[in-house]
Amino acid sequence: MINKQVSGVQEAIAGVSDNMTCMFGGFGLSGIPENAIAALVKSGVTGLTCISNNAGVDDFGLGLLLHQHQIKKMVSSYVGENDEFERQMLSGELDVELIPQGTLAERCRAAQAGFPAVYTPAGYGTEVAEGKETREFDGKMYVLEHAFKADFAFVKAWKGDAAGNLIFKGTARNFNPNMCGAAKITVAEVEELVQVGELDPNQIHIPGIFVQRIFQGEKYEKRIEQRTVRKRE
Amino acid sequence: MALDKNGIAKRIAKEVQDGYYVNLGIGIPTLVANYVRDDIEVEFQSENGVLGMGPFPFDGEEDADIINAGKQTITTLPGASFFDSAMSFSMIRGQHVHLTILGAMEVAENGDIANWKIPGRMVKGMGGAMDLVASAENIIVAMMHTNKAGESKLLKRCSLPLTGVGCVKKIVTNLAVLEVTDSGFKLLERAPDVSVEDIQKATEGTLIVEGDIPEMKL
Protein backbone atom coordinates (compact mmCIF):
# COMPACT_ATOMS: atom_id res chain seq x y z
CA MET A 1 0.00 0.00 0.00
CA ILE A 2 1.35 3.38 -0.95
CA ASN A 3 0.59 5.71 1.93
CA LYS A 4 -1.01 9.05 0.98
CA GLN A 5 -2.01 10.12 4.46
CA VAL A 6 -0.66 13.46 5.66
CA SER A 7 -0.65 14.73 9.24
CA GLY A 8 -3.36 17.32 8.70
CA VAL A 9 -4.54 20.21 6.65
CA GLN A 10 -1.29 22.20 6.98
CA GLU A 11 0.78 19.45 5.38
CA ALA A 12 -2.03 18.92 2.86
CA ILE A 13 -1.80 22.47 1.49
CA ALA A 14 2.02 22.63 1.56
CA GLY A 15 3.38 23.98 -1.74
CA VAL A 16 0.41 26.14 -2.65
CA SER A 17 1.92 29.47 -3.60
CA ASP A 18 0.83 32.79 -5.07
CA ASN A 19 -0.63 32.84 -8.59
CA MET A 20 -1.26 29.10 -8.77
CA THR A 21 -4.31 27.50 -10.40
CA CYS A 22 -6.41 25.40 -8.06
CA MET A 23 -9.50 23.26 -8.59
CA PHE A 24 -12.15 23.00 -5.89
CA GLY A 25 -14.83 20.31 -5.82
CA GLY A 26 -18.40 21.03 -4.77
CA PHE A 27 -21.73 22.19 -6.14
CA GLY A 28 -23.02 25.22 -4.29
CA LEU A 29 -21.89 24.54 -0.73
CA SER A 30 -22.42 20.78 -1.06
CA GLY A 31 -19.27 18.67 -1.07
CA ILE A 32 -16.80 21.55 -0.82
CA PRO A 33 -13.34 21.00 0.75
CA GLU A 34 -14.14 23.13 3.81
CA ASN A 35 -10.94 22.41 5.71
CA ALA A 36 -8.57 23.10 2.82
CA ILE A 37 -10.37 26.37 2.04
CA ALA A 38 -10.11 27.50 5.68
CA ALA A 39 -6.38 26.69 5.73
CA LEU A 40 -5.78 28.53 2.44
CA VAL A 41 -7.54 31.59 3.86
CA LYS A 42 -5.20 31.50 6.87
CA SER A 43 -2.13 30.91 4.70
CA GLY A 44 -2.61 34.29 3.02
CA VAL A 45 -1.78 32.87 -0.41
CA THR A 46 -2.93 35.26 -3.10
CA GLY A 47 -3.46 35.69 -6.85
CA LEU A 48 -5.19 32.30 -7.15
CA THR A 49 -7.03 31.17 -10.25
CA CYS A 50 -9.86 28.99 -8.97
CA ILE A 51 -11.68 26.41 -11.06
CA SER A 52 -14.92 25.64 -9.27
CA ASN A 53 -18.53 25.33 -10.41
CA ASN A 54 -19.59 28.06 -7.98
CA ALA A 55 -17.87 30.73 -5.90
CA GLY A 56 -19.42 30.04 -2.50
CA VAL A 57 -21.52 32.56 -0.58
CA ASP A 58 -20.40 35.75 1.16
CA ASP A 59 -19.27 34.09 4.38
CA PHE A 60 -18.61 30.49 3.40
CA GLY A 61 -16.86 28.33 0.84
CA LEU A 62 -14.72 30.14 -1.71
CA GLY A 63 -16.46 33.34 -0.58
CA LEU A 64 -13.99 33.32 2.33
CA LEU A 65 -11.01 33.47 -0.07
CA LEU A 66 -12.76 36.16 -2.13
CA HIS A 67 -13.37 38.22 0.96
CA GLN A 68 -9.60 38.33 1.64
CA HIS A 69 -8.88 39.22 -2.02
CA GLN A 70 -6.91 36.00 -2.48
CA ILE A 71 -8.57 35.10 -5.80
CA LYS A 72 -7.46 36.73 -9.05
CA LYS A 73 -9.68 34.76 -11.39
CA MET A 74 -12.69 32.47 -11.12
CA VAL A 75 -13.54 29.83 -13.72
CA SER A 76 -17.13 28.77 -12.98
CA SER A 77 -20.51 27.99 -14.51
CA TYR A 78 -22.69 29.88 -12.03
CA VAL A 79 -21.72 32.57 -9.56
CA GLY A 80 -24.93 33.98 -8.09
CA GLU A 81 -25.77 34.41 -4.40
CA ASN A 82 -22.57 36.26 -3.56
CA ASP A 83 -22.55 40.05 -3.06
CA GLU A 84 -18.78 40.41 -2.54
CA PHE A 85 -18.18 38.41 -5.72
CA GLU A 86 -20.49 40.76 -7.63
CA ARG A 87 -18.75 43.83 -6.20
CA GLN A 88 -15.25 42.57 -7.14
CA MET A 89 -16.41 41.47 -10.59
CA LEU A 90 -18.07 44.78 -11.41
CA SER A 91 -15.11 46.80 -10.09
CA GLY A 92 -12.72 44.77 -12.25
CA GLU A 93 -10.71 43.43 -9.29
CA LEU A 94 -11.78 39.90 -10.16
CA ASP A 95 -11.49 38.24 -13.54
CA VAL A 96 -14.33 35.80 -14.28
CA GLU A 97 -14.58 33.16 -16.99
CA LEU A 98 -18.03 31.62 -17.24
CA ILE A 99 -18.26 28.26 -18.97
CA PRO A 100 -21.06 25.70 -19.35
CA GLN A 101 -21.34 23.29 -16.45
CA GLY A 102 -20.91 20.17 -18.56
CA THR A 103 -17.90 21.71 -20.27
CA LEU A 104 -16.38 22.49 -16.87
CA ALA A 105 -16.82 18.86 -15.82
CA GLU A 106 -15.43 17.53 -19.09
CA ARG A 107 -12.37 19.83 -19.07
CA CYS A 108 -11.59 18.38 -15.63
CA ARG A 109 -12.19 14.84 -16.81
CA ALA A 110 -10.05 15.41 -19.91
CA ALA A 111 -7.16 16.54 -17.71
CA GLN A 112 -7.67 13.48 -15.51
CA ALA A 113 -7.89 11.10 -18.46
CA GLY A 114 -5.06 12.46 -20.61
CA PHE A 115 -7.09 14.05 -23.38
CA PRO A 116 -5.73 17.44 -24.51
CA ALA A 117 -9.17 18.64 -25.55
CA VAL A 118 -12.71 17.50 -26.27
CA TYR A 119 -15.41 18.50 -28.74
CA THR A 120 -18.72 19.51 -27.19
CA PRO A 121 -21.89 20.89 -28.76
CA ALA A 122 -22.43 23.15 -25.71
CA GLY A 123 -22.04 26.84 -26.47
CA TYR A 124 -21.80 26.53 -30.23
CA GLY A 125 -23.08 29.73 -31.84
CA THR A 126 -22.83 31.64 -28.53
CA GLU A 127 -20.19 33.96 -27.11
CA VAL A 128 -18.70 30.98 -25.23
CA ALA A 129 -17.43 29.61 -28.56
CA GLU A 130 -15.88 32.89 -29.76
CA GLY A 131 -12.26 32.40 -30.84
CA LYS A 132 -12.43 28.63 -30.41
CA GLU A 133 -12.03 25.94 -33.03
CA THR A 134 -15.30 24.46 -34.24
CA ARG A 135 -15.91 21.38 -36.34
CA GLU A 136 -18.81 19.54 -37.90
CA PHE A 137 -19.44 15.89 -37.14
CA ASP A 138 -22.40 14.18 -38.83
CA GLY A 139 -24.08 17.47 -39.62
CA LYS A 140 -23.83 18.93 -36.12
CA MET A 141 -21.43 21.64 -34.94
CA TYR A 142 -19.06 21.22 -32.00
CA VAL A 143 -16.63 23.46 -30.09
CA LEU A 144 -13.12 22.33 -29.13
CA GLU A 145 -12.58 22.81 -25.39
CA HIS A 146 -9.14 22.28 -23.84
CA ALA A 147 -8.31 20.22 -20.75
CA PHE A 148 -7.60 22.31 -17.68
CA LYS A 149 -4.07 22.68 -16.41
CA ALA A 150 -4.02 23.07 -12.65
CA ASP A 151 -1.43 22.92 -9.88
CA PHE A 152 -3.69 21.62 -7.11
CA ALA A 153 -7.10 19.95 -6.94
CA PHE A 154 -8.87 20.14 -3.59
CA VAL A 155 -11.64 17.61 -3.24
CA LYS A 156 -13.89 16.39 -0.46
CA ALA A 157 -15.18 12.84 0.01
CA TRP A 158 -17.29 11.07 2.61
CA LYS A 159 -14.93 8.19 3.42
CA GLY A 160 -11.39 7.42 2.44
CA ASP A 161 -8.33 5.45 3.49
CA ALA A 162 -4.57 6.04 3.64
CA ALA A 163 -4.21 4.51 0.17
CA GLY A 164 -6.17 7.49 -1.13
CA ASN A 165 -9.29 5.52 -2.07
CA LEU A 166 -12.46 7.61 -1.90
CA ILE A 167 -16.20 7.12 -1.50
CA PHE A 168 -18.59 10.05 -1.92
CA LYS A 169 -22.06 10.57 -0.49
CA GLY A 170 -25.20 11.77 -2.27
CA THR A 171 -24.97 14.80 -4.51
CA ALA A 172 -21.90 15.95 -2.57
CA ARG A 173 -20.08 13.83 -5.17
CA ASN A 174 -20.60 16.33 -8.05
CA PHE A 175 -17.28 17.62 -9.47
CA ASN A 176 -15.08 15.98 -6.84
CA PRO A 177 -14.36 12.69 -8.66
CA ASN A 178 -13.74 14.55 -11.95
CA MET A 179 -11.07 16.74 -10.34
CA CYS A 180 -9.12 13.84 -8.80
CA GLY A 181 -5.94 13.44 -10.81
CA ALA A 182 -6.81 16.46 -12.95
CA ALA A 183 -4.10 18.62 -11.32
CA LYS A 184 -0.42 18.06 -10.50
CA ILE A 185 -1.34 17.36 -6.88
CA THR A 186 -4.75 16.16 -5.69
CA VAL A 187 -5.56 16.78 -2.04
CA ALA A 188 -8.52 14.84 -0.69
CA GLU A 189 -10.16 15.61 2.62
CA VAL A 190 -12.65 13.15 4.06
CA GLU A 191 -15.25 13.13 6.82
CA GLU A 192 -14.00 9.75 7.95
CA LEU A 193 -10.57 8.26 7.33
CA VAL A 194 -10.94 4.50 7.87
CA GLN A 195 -8.37 1.71 8.24
CA VAL A 196 -6.90 0.43 5.00
CA GLY A 197 -8.84 -2.71 4.07
CA GLU A 198 -12.07 -1.48 5.59
CA LEU A 199 -13.46 -0.05 2.34
CA ASP A 200 -14.94 -2.66 0.02
CA PRO A 201 -12.93 -2.43 -3.25
CA ASN A 202 -16.21 -2.92 -5.13
CA GLN A 203 -17.63 0.25 -3.65
CA ILE A 204 -14.72 2.65 -4.21
CA HIS A 205 -15.60 5.59 -6.46
CA ILE A 206 -12.07 6.95 -6.96
CA PRO A 207 -9.01 4.68 -6.70
CA GLY A 208 -6.11 6.06 -4.66
CA ILE A 209 -3.86 6.38 -7.73
CA PHE A 210 -5.60 9.71 -8.49
CA VAL A 211 -4.88 11.14 -5.01
CA GLN A 212 -1.54 12.37 -3.66
CA ARG A 213 -2.54 13.55 -0.18
CA ILE A 214 -5.41 12.56 2.09
CA PHE A 215 -6.50 13.66 5.56
CA GLN A 216 -9.55 13.64 7.78
CA GLY A 217 -11.07 17.10 8.10
CA GLU A 218 -11.18 18.44 11.65
CA LYS A 219 -14.83 19.46 11.37
CA TYR A 220 -17.53 19.87 8.75
CA GLU A 221 -20.18 22.55 8.93
CA LYS A 222 -21.95 21.24 5.77
CA ARG A 223 -24.05 24.36 5.41
CA ILE A 224 -27.35 24.12 3.50
CA GLU A 225 -27.88 26.91 0.95
CA GLN A 226 -31.63 26.47 0.29
CA ARG A 227 -33.29 24.57 3.12
CA THR A 228 -36.53 23.40 1.51
CA VAL A 229 -38.94 21.16 3.39
CA ARG A 230 -42.56 20.03 3.21
CA LYS A 231 -45.09 19.89 6.02
CA ARG A 232 -45.92 16.57 7.60
CA GLU A 233 -49.48 15.57 6.68
CA MET B 1 -58.10 33.54 -19.76
CA ALA B 2 -54.33 33.44 -19.84
CA LEU B 3 -52.76 30.69 -17.77
CA ASP B 4 -50.78 31.29 -14.60
CA LYS B 5 -47.44 29.57 -13.96
CA ASN B 6 -49.14 26.48 -12.57
CA GLY B 7 -51.36 26.34 -15.64
CA ILE B 8 -48.31 26.37 -17.92
CA ALA B 9 -46.75 23.59 -15.84
CA LYS B 10 -49.98 21.59 -15.98
CA ARG B 11 -50.10 21.79 -19.79
CA ILE B 12 -46.43 20.82 -20.14
CA ALA B 13 -46.96 17.85 -17.83
CA LYS B 14 -49.17 16.33 -20.55
CA GLU B 15 -46.07 16.11 -22.79
CA VAL B 16 -44.33 13.82 -20.30
CA GLN B 17 -44.66 10.18 -21.33
CA ASP B 18 -44.27 6.83 -19.64
CA GLY B 19 -40.61 5.78 -19.37
CA TYR B 20 -39.23 9.29 -19.78
CA TYR B 21 -36.12 10.59 -18.03
CA VAL B 22 -36.75 14.32 -17.62
CA ASN B 23 -34.57 17.29 -16.66
CA LEU B 24 -36.47 20.23 -15.19
CA GLY B 25 -35.02 23.73 -15.07
CA ILE B 26 -35.55 26.26 -12.31
CA GLY B 27 -38.82 28.25 -12.10
CA ILE B 28 -41.98 27.16 -13.94
CA PRO B 29 -40.33 23.88 -15.12
CA THR B 30 -39.89 22.76 -11.50
CA LEU B 31 -43.68 22.93 -11.07
CA VAL B 32 -44.20 20.39 -13.87
CA ALA B 33 -43.32 17.54 -11.49
CA ASN B 34 -46.48 18.33 -9.49
CA TYR B 35 -48.78 17.61 -12.44
CA VAL B 36 -47.35 14.49 -14.09
CA ARG B 37 -49.96 11.70 -14.23
CA ASP B 38 -49.42 9.18 -11.48
CA ASP B 39 -50.18 6.15 -13.66
CA ILE B 40 -46.90 6.53 -15.62
CA GLU B 41 -43.29 5.98 -14.60
CA VAL B 42 -41.03 9.01 -14.96
CA GLU B 43 -37.63 9.76 -13.43
CA PHE B 44 -36.42 13.30 -12.83
CA GLN B 45 -32.74 14.07 -13.36
CA SER B 46 -30.96 16.96 -11.69
CA GLU B 47 -27.69 17.88 -13.35
CA ASN B 48 -25.76 18.23 -10.10
CA GLY B 49 -25.86 14.43 -9.95
CA VAL B 50 -29.11 12.64 -9.10
CA LEU B 51 -31.62 10.57 -11.03
CA GLY B 52 -34.88 9.64 -9.35
CA MET B 53 -35.56 12.83 -7.40
CA GLY B 54 -38.41 12.75 -4.92
CA PRO B 55 -40.29 15.48 -3.06
CA PHE B 56 -38.76 17.93 -0.58
CA PRO B 57 -37.85 16.29 2.75
CA PHE B 58 -39.95 16.61 5.89
CA ASP B 59 -38.80 19.26 8.31
CA GLY B 60 -35.85 17.86 10.28
CA GLU B 61 -34.97 15.22 7.67
CA GLU B 62 -33.08 17.51 5.29
CA ASP B 63 -29.56 16.40 4.33
CA ALA B 64 -26.83 18.84 3.17
CA ASP B 65 -25.49 16.05 0.94
CA ILE B 66 -28.74 15.60 -1.02
CA ILE B 67 -29.73 18.66 -3.04
CA ASN B 68 -31.01 19.54 -6.52
CA ALA B 69 -29.53 21.90 -9.11
CA GLY B 70 -31.36 24.80 -7.43
CA LYS B 71 -29.37 23.90 -4.25
CA GLN B 72 -32.63 22.95 -2.52
CA THR B 73 -32.74 19.99 -0.15
CA ILE B 74 -34.55 17.05 -1.75
CA THR B 75 -35.27 13.35 -1.23
CA THR B 76 -34.78 10.40 -3.55
CA LEU B 77 -37.25 7.71 -4.60
CA PRO B 78 -36.63 3.94 -4.72
CA GLY B 79 -34.39 3.21 -7.73
CA ALA B 80 -32.60 6.55 -7.51
CA SER B 81 -28.87 6.95 -8.17
CA PHE B 82 -26.13 9.50 -7.57
CA PHE B 83 -23.25 10.22 -9.96
CA ASP B 84 -20.53 12.74 -10.72
CA SER B 85 -20.88 15.85 -12.89
CA ALA B 86 -19.16 14.37 -15.95
CA MET B 87 -21.51 11.39 -15.92
CA SER B 88 -24.48 13.68 -15.36
CA PHE B 89 -23.66 15.60 -18.52
CA SER B 90 -22.95 12.33 -20.34
CA MET B 91 -26.63 11.56 -19.73
CA ILE B 92 -27.54 14.96 -21.16
CA ARG B 93 -25.00 15.31 -23.99
CA GLY B 94 -25.39 11.65 -24.92
CA GLN B 95 -29.16 12.20 -25.30
CA HIS B 96 -30.14 9.64 -22.70
CA VAL B 97 -32.39 12.22 -21.06
CA HIS B 98 -35.61 12.24 -23.13
CA LEU B 99 -37.03 15.63 -22.30
CA THR B 100 -35.62 18.95 -21.12
CA ILE B 101 -37.97 21.64 -19.86
CA LEU B 102 -36.52 25.06 -19.21
CA GLY B 103 -37.37 28.74 -18.98
CA ALA B 104 -36.27 31.48 -21.39
CA MET B 105 -36.02 35.24 -21.71
CA GLU B 106 -36.36 35.07 -25.51
CA VAL B 107 -37.00 32.43 -28.18
CA ALA B 108 -36.58 33.12 -31.91
CA GLU B 109 -38.59 31.63 -34.76
CA ASN B 110 -35.49 29.70 -35.89
CA GLY B 111 -35.32 27.90 -32.50
CA ASP B 112 -32.58 30.06 -30.96
CA ILE B 113 -32.88 30.59 -27.22
CA ALA B 114 -31.54 33.28 -24.88
CA ASN B 115 -31.86 32.69 -21.14
CA TRP B 116 -28.61 33.41 -19.36
CA LYS B 117 -27.37 36.94 -19.76
CA ILE B 118 -28.65 40.51 -19.94
CA PRO B 119 -25.91 42.93 -20.99
CA GLY B 120 -25.32 45.61 -18.36
CA ARG B 121 -26.67 43.49 -15.55
CA MET B 122 -24.78 41.19 -13.18
CA VAL B 123 -24.24 37.93 -15.02
CA LYS B 124 -24.65 34.87 -12.83
CA GLY B 125 -23.66 32.30 -15.41
CA MET B 126 -25.25 29.70 -17.64
CA GLY B 127 -24.92 26.74 -15.29
CA GLY B 128 -25.95 23.66 -17.28
CA ALA B 129 -28.30 25.49 -19.67
CA MET B 130 -25.92 25.57 -22.66
CA ASP B 131 -25.17 21.86 -22.37
CA LEU B 132 -28.88 21.06 -22.04
CA VAL B 133 -30.05 23.07 -25.05
CA ALA B 134 -27.15 22.01 -27.28
CA SER B 135 -27.78 18.33 -26.71
CA ALA B 136 -31.39 17.55 -25.92
CA GLU B 137 -33.48 16.25 -28.80
CA ASN B 138 -36.68 17.28 -27.14
CA ILE B 139 -36.70 20.73 -25.54
CA ILE B 140 -39.82 22.46 -24.29
CA VAL B 141 -39.58 26.08 -23.23
CA ALA B 142 -41.89 27.17 -20.42
CA MET B 143 -42.32 30.93 -20.20
CA MET B 144 -44.69 33.88 -20.20
CA HIS B 145 -45.52 35.04 -23.73
CA THR B 146 -44.43 38.62 -22.97
CA ASN B 147 -41.99 40.22 -20.55
CA LYS B 148 -42.86 42.54 -17.66
CA ALA B 149 -42.83 45.51 -20.06
CA GLY B 150 -45.42 43.73 -22.21
CA GLU B 151 -42.95 43.03 -25.03
CA SER B 152 -43.06 39.76 -26.92
CA LYS B 153 -40.58 37.05 -25.95
CA LEU B 154 -41.26 35.15 -29.20
CA LEU B 155 -39.13 37.01 -31.70
CA LYS B 156 -37.86 36.95 -35.27
CA ARG B 157 -34.32 36.98 -33.86
CA CYS B 158 -33.12 36.98 -30.26
CA SER B 159 -31.73 40.32 -29.09
CA LEU B 160 -29.98 38.94 -25.99
CA PRO B 161 -26.79 36.82 -25.99
CA LEU B 162 -27.70 33.30 -27.07
CA THR B 163 -27.70 30.17 -24.94
CA GLY B 164 -28.08 27.88 -27.94
CA VAL B 165 -28.88 27.98 -31.66
CA GLY B 166 -31.77 26.29 -33.48
CA CYS B 167 -32.60 24.01 -30.58
CA VAL B 168 -36.10 24.81 -29.28
CA LYS B 169 -38.86 22.56 -30.63
CA LYS B 170 -41.88 23.51 -28.57
CA ILE B 171 -42.98 26.45 -26.43
CA VAL B 172 -45.75 26.57 -23.86
CA THR B 173 -46.69 30.05 -22.67
CA ASN B 174 -49.52 31.57 -20.67
CA LEU B 175 -51.31 32.14 -23.99
CA ALA B 176 -50.45 29.28 -26.33
CA VAL B 177 -48.69 26.07 -27.33
CA LEU B 178 -46.41 26.62 -30.31
CA GLU B 179 -44.10 24.48 -32.40
CA VAL B 180 -40.92 25.86 -33.97
CA THR B 181 -40.98 25.07 -37.71
CA ASP B 182 -38.81 26.04 -40.68
CA SER B 183 -41.19 28.88 -41.48
CA GLY B 184 -41.87 30.21 -37.98
CA PHE B 185 -43.91 29.63 -34.81
CA LYS B 186 -46.77 27.30 -35.66
CA LEU B 187 -49.74 27.86 -33.35
CA LEU B 188 -50.98 24.52 -32.00
CA GLU B 189 -53.29 25.43 -29.11
CA ARG B 190 -54.78 28.48 -27.40
CA ALA B 191 -55.13 28.98 -23.65
CA PRO B 192 -58.77 28.92 -22.53
CA ASP B 193 -60.67 31.98 -23.81
CA VAL B 194 -57.57 33.45 -25.45
CA SER B 195 -58.14 34.37 -29.11
CA VAL B 196 -55.81 33.86 -32.05
CA GLU B 197 -55.74 37.68 -32.32
CA ASP B 198 -54.52 38.00 -28.72
CA ILE B 199 -51.71 35.56 -29.50
CA GLN B 200 -50.87 37.31 -32.76
CA LYS B 201 -50.60 40.65 -30.93
CA ALA B 202 -48.22 39.17 -28.35
CA THR B 203 -45.98 37.47 -30.93
CA GLU B 204 -43.29 39.49 -32.71
CA GLY B 205 -41.98 36.54 -34.73
CA THR B 206 -43.80 34.92 -37.64
CA LEU B 207 -46.95 33.20 -36.39
CA ILE B 208 -48.38 30.44 -38.55
CA VAL B 209 -52.08 29.82 -38.07
CA GLU B 210 -53.60 26.92 -40.01
CA GLY B 211 -57.31 26.21 -39.67
CA ASP B 212 -59.16 26.25 -36.38
CA ILE B 213 -56.86 26.40 -33.38
CA PRO B 214 -58.18 24.24 -30.52
CA GLU B 215 -58.24 25.33 -26.90
CA MET B 216 -55.81 23.64 -24.52
CA LYS B 217 -57.20 20.75 -22.50
CA LEU B 218 -55.81 20.94 -18.99
Side-chain angles (χ1 to χ4, degrees), chain B residues 48-87:
Chain B
N48 60 314
V50 54
L51 196 59
M53 258 193 298
F56 295 127
F58 289 121
D59 197 0
E61 291 178 4
E62 61 273 26
D63 183 341
D65 292 330
I66 303 180
I67 62 170
N68 64 17
K71 288 137 191 160
Q72 296 170 308
T73 44
I74 54 156
T75 59
T76 54
L77 297 172
S81 54
F82 297 115
F83 35 85
D84 65 64
S85 299
M87 188 177 283

Side-chain angles (χ1 to χ4, degrees), chain A residues 65-107:
Chain A
L65 280 166
L66 273 170
H67 199 75
Q68 304 294 328
H69 299 270
Q70 290 169 279
I71 301 177
K72 178 177 68 183
K73 181 178 181 182
M74 280 299 311
V75 180
S76 304
S77 87
Y78 189 84
V79 293
E81 291 98 34
N82 192 324
D83 292 338
E84 177 61 15
F85 184 99
E86 186 169 344
R87 197 197 61 71
Q88 290 186 22
M89 181 174 164
L90 294 175
S91 71
E93 292 164 69
L94 180 70
D95 189 11
V96 179
E97 183 183 348
L98 293 170
I99 59 176
Q101 192 178 336
T103 300
L104 180 68
E106 210 56 31
R107 289 176 68 185

